[in-house]
């Protein structure tokens, strides 16, 4: 499981569209589709129902979404914390 896959999953779930998610993430649509496919393969379950251009979360997708959101928030907080630590200067 990769961080990019979780970000793509969260964005597709928010937009209910692979195309809009790709645009928001500045990825190509095939890249987002590949992220979701690889995540589904890793988990062993479909995360979205895809029918006629419409997208809906499956039960597995609904269960994964809050965990993905937590992981993303933790990773973003870690980056902010590390960046702020890098801006401090040791006392002379």
């Amino acid at each position: 499981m990769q961080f990019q896959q979780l970000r793509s999953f969260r964005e597709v779930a928010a937009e209910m569209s692979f195309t809009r998610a790709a645009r928001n993430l500045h990825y190509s649509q095939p890249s987002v589709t590949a992220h979701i496919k690889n995540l589904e393969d890793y988990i062993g379950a479909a995360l979205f129902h895809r029918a006629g251009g419409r997208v809906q979360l499956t039960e597995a997708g609904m269960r994964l979404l809050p965990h993905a959101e937590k992981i993303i928030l933790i990773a973003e907080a870690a980056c902010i914390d590390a960046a702020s630590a890098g801006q401090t200067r040791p006392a002379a």
Side-chain angles (χ1 to χ4, degrees):
M1 182 182 322
Q2 296 179 1
F3 188 70
Q4 291 173 298
Q5 294 167 345
L6 292 175
R7 286 186 66 223
S8 291
F9 167 70
R10 180 184 68 172
E11 196 63 29
V12 173
E15 293 289 342
M16 288 298 153
S17 166
F18 283 74
T19 302
R20 286 192 302 267
R23 184 180 59 233
N24 294 348
L25 294 168
H26 306 286
Y27 293 152
S28 69
Q29 189 271 331
S31 292
V32 170
T33 299
H35 291 166
I36 301 303
K37 169 85 171 84
N38 291 335
L39 186 57
E40 289 174 330
D41 289 347
Y42 179 82
I43 290 171
L47 299 172
F48 295 98
H49 294 292
R50 301 162 180 92
R54 297 185 56 113
V55 177
Q56 288 184 311
L57 282 169
T58 63
E59 177 68 27
M62 286 187 273
R63 288 177 172 232
L64 178 61
L65 185 57
H67 299 291
E69 289 173 340
K70 286 177 192 174
I71 291 166
I72 292 165
L73 286 172
I74 290 168
E76 289 171 349
C79 289
I80 291 167
D81 189 47
S84 66
Q87 293 176 359
T88 60
R89 294 184 181 180

